[in-house]
Amino acid sequence: AVAAQNITKTFGTDDTKVAALDEVSVTFRPGEFTAIMGPSGSGKSTLMHCLAGLDTVDAGQVAVNSTVITGMSDNDLTKLRRSHIGFIFQAFNLVPTLNAKDNIVLPLDLAGAKVDQDWFDQIIATLGLADRLTHKPHQLSGGQQQRVAVARALLTRPAVVFADEPTGALDSNTGAEVLALLSRSAREMGQTIIMVTHDPHAASYADRVVLLKDGGVLGHLEDPTA
Amino acid sequence: AVAAQNITKTFGTDDTKVAALDEVSVTFRPGEFTAIMGPSGSGKSTLMHCLAGLDTVDAGQVAVNSTVITGMSDNDLTKLRRSHIGFIFQAFNLVPTLNAKDNIVLPLDLAGAKVDQDWFDQIIATLGLADRLTHKPHQLSGGQQQRVAVARALLTRPAVVFADEPTGALDSNTGAEVLALLSRSAREMGQTIIMVTHDPHAASYADRVVLLKDGGVLGHLEDPTA
Ligand SMILES: Nc1ncnc2c1ncn2[C@@H]1O[C@H](COP(=O)(O)OP(=O)(O)OP(=O)(O)O)[C@@H](O)[C@H]1O
Ligand SMILES: Nc1ncnc2c1ncn2[C@@H]1O[C@H](COP(=O)(O)OP(=O)(O)OP(=O)(O)O)[C@@H](O)[C@H]1O
Ligand SMILES: [Mg+2]
Ligand SMILES: [Mg+2]
């Protein structure tokens, strides 16, 4: 459902120039749960942003659901992301002026689509957010903000879910709820789950692990166990 | 070096009202490395902010280095924090318009103090930031931003270091460097280290663990082993 072919991405100029991705090729299939691991600064978030069309590549191409997104116009990219992609950002990226509930339904509002109330209630219950829906981001703990970001990405039932360290701010119990939810999304709803994590326990929920190092793919692990 | 006596903290009004801390008493001694653990939303960040004088309490009192800070003026609080406290925020709180180096030396600049160049070089080398000093926060990975926040808190050699999930965005190797640095700061420099973490491995570096739940102290663990 998502494929990168030989993608290269360089940032900056002169003394901030960094080769963040160096000829990376990787494919993610429908219903597959992949964990991406690697040292801090190895290019994981950059890879995720390029695969989701949030950033452009300097060489190579990216395809989502058999559509080549490299070279697509901003308008078409936005429409594709809105209907097919959910993204849980490493820094959450919540809208500070909206409360938790409005942050969560924002993608649907922007698409002019209705909220599936049952699914909304299920996600909120699983993530323990029922009594925080009217709080704004600054009135939430770090882990609560992270869970709002998770709910926002899952509510639209997108074909592909990108999760950039989705349990980084969570205790083990709350983290397990998030991982179980992502795992069910892959197995029962056939979604493609691509999760960056530093936590080997989180990676053990995945079907396979892709290892990055210095902007390149170091290797793969099938069926990881913590 | 830091003591909280029966502190209570309530946030919000009406439907956002939350009793974040409920009669919490805890003492931290010089040279002691304490980990604070507990579920997401249990009050850890709130406790840290109240202990550091970044937020006021509604009842009880807080003392830092035998000075009662409850009721202190903003000016006096700012001076005390600047000379005695280093804080690594859960969301990093870096200045977006300054590069990494300027973010790290900012507290010293504001205090009109000189940078100890040897100590600066040591910290930068240990945290692997030497080739990122001219990058601005948006040009850094999540883990690199976190390490800049760690460097900023340690450069001034404060009597008390508050670390709110200082390894949340780091891979295990980089995280181990940060934990070893904090541990050395306690043992060799006699600093008081107070670290919030969700990671039992990180907690194992501490001399003891304080457990929070629903705004109250659930218990203590001495000499934790992962
Ligand atoms: N300004 C605010 N208004 C209302 N409630 C708030 C406000 N700030 C924090 N809270 C609430 O206080 C509680 C404690 O928050 P705190 O940030 O201390 O939790 P935490 O233990 O650090 O959690 P995490 O592990 O998720 O970071 C949370 O339930 C949060 O929703
Ligand atoms: N705008 C930019 N300009 C210059 N360099 C950049 C920019 N954005 C990212 N980088 C660099 O690209 C590299 C890869 O960053 P990326 O955020 O993908 O790492 P990561 O693997 O997600 O790390 P972490 O685990 O710390 O989140 C880093 O070394 C970073 O400094
Ligand atoms: Mg990252
Ligand atoms: Mg917190």
Side-chain angles (χ1 to χ4, degrees), chain A residues 45 90 164, chain B residues 142:
Chain A
S45 296
Q90 189 169 4
D164 199 344

Side-chain angles (χ1 to χ4, degrees), chain A:
Chain A
V2 182
Q5 246 180 2
N6 258 319
I7 60 177
T8 292
K9 173 86 187 160
T10 306
F11 282 115
T13 50
D14 314 322
D15 65 344
T16 64
K17 200 166 165 75
V18 176
L21 293 175
D22 186 13
E23 303 206 353
V24 172
S25 296
V26 60
T27 303
F28 306 85
R29 288 178 295 269
E32 190 173 49
F33 187 166
T34 304
I36 299 176
M37 302 184 80
S40 172
S42 54
K44 305 180 297 297
S45 296
T46 303
L47 175 60
M48 299 268 281
H49 284 241
C50 291
L51 292 171
L54 288 166
D55 210 346
T56 55
V57 294
D58 298 318
Q61 73 176 24
V62 176
V64 176
N65 276 6
S66 330
T67 306
V68 173
I69 68 174
T70 308
M72 242 171 141
S73 72
D74 267 350
N75 266 341
D76 289 342
L77 267 177
T78 302
K79 289 213 220 94
L80 182 129
R81 276 201 306 271
R82 196 163 285 169
S83 50
H84 290 93
I85 293 174
F87 205 112
I88 304 164
F89 294 89
Q90 189 169 4
F92 318 149
N93 294 11
L94 302 181
V95 179
T97 47
L98 300 180
N99 64 24
K101 174 168 180 289
D102 291 337
N103 259 292
I104 293 167
V105 304
L106 185 61
L108 286 175
D109 277 357
L110 291 174
K114 283 178 81 286
V115 175
D116 176 339
Q117 195 58 42
D118 279 344
W119 182 223
F120 177 88
D121 292 341
Q122 270 189 62
I123 294 175
I124 295 307
T126 304
L127 298 176
L129 291 172
D131 54 0
R132 289 289 179 277
L133 292 178
T134 54
H135 285 230
K136 293 208 171 70
H138 72 91
Q139 298 172 319
L140 296 172
S141 77
Q144 289 163 347
Q145 291 175 26
Q146 187 159 49
R147 285 179 267 156
V148 170
V150 172
R152 178 179 67 186
L154 296 181
L155 185 62
T156 54
R157 283 197 168 120
V160 189
V161 179
F162 292 92
D164 199 344
E165 303 196 34
T167 60
L170 304 176
D171 57 272
S172 49
N173 290 338
T174 319
E177 295 287 354
V178 169
L179 294 167
L181 188 48
L182 290 173
S183 179
R184 270 206 309 281
S185 302
R187 273 201 327 275
E188 296 175 15
M189 299 201 264
Q191 288 167 300
T192 305
I193 310 291
I194 306 170
M195 173 180 78
V196 166
T197 184
H198 283 304
D199 180 4
H201 173 70
S204 70
Y205 282 70
D207 303 316
R208 61 160 186 162
V209 179
V210 172
L211 298 161
L212 287 194
K213 185 178 156 120
D214 296 331
V217 175
L218 186 67
H220 298 84
L221 293 168
E222 298 296 322
D223 287 329
T225 49

Side-chain angles (χ1 to χ4, degrees), chain A residues 12 15-18 38-41 45 90 131-132 134-135 139 141-144 147 165 168-172 174 198, chain B residues 12 15-18 38-41 45 90 131-132 134-136 139 141-144 147 165 168-172 174 198:
Chain A
D15 65 344
T16 64
K17 200 166 165 75
V18 176
S40 172
S45 296
Q90 189 169 4
D131 54 0
R132 289 289 179 277
T134 54
H135 285 230
Q139 298 172 319
S141 77
Q144 289 163 347
R147 285 179 267 156
E165 303 196 34
L170 304 176
D171 57 272
S172 49
T174 319
H198 283 304
Chain B
D15 64 344
T16 63
K17 201 168 165 73
V18 176
S40 171
S45 295
Q90 188 168 6
D131 55 358
R132 289 288 179 278
T134 54
H135 285 230
K136 293 207 172 69
Q139 298 172 318
S141 77
Q144 288 162 348
R147 285 179 266 155
E165 304 198 35
L170 304 176
D171 57 270
S172 50
T174 320
H198 282 304

Side-chain angles (χ1 to χ4, degrees), chain B residues 144-200:
Chain B
Q144 288 162 348
Q145 291 174 27
Q146 186 157 49
R147 285 179 266 155
V148 170
V150 172
R152 179 179 67 187
L154 296 180
L155 185 63
T156 53
R157 285 198 165 117
V160 188
V161 179
F162 291 92
D164 200 343
E165 304 198 35
T167 61
L170 304 176
D171 57 270
S172 50
N173 292 337
T174 320
E177 295 288 352
V178 169
L179 294 166
L181 187 49
L182 290 173
S183 179
R184 268 205 313 280
S185 303
R187 272 201 328 274
E188 297 174 15
M189 300 200 264
Q191 288 167 302
T192 305
I193 310 291
I194 305 170
M195 174 179 79
V196 166
T197 184
H198 282 304
D199 179 3

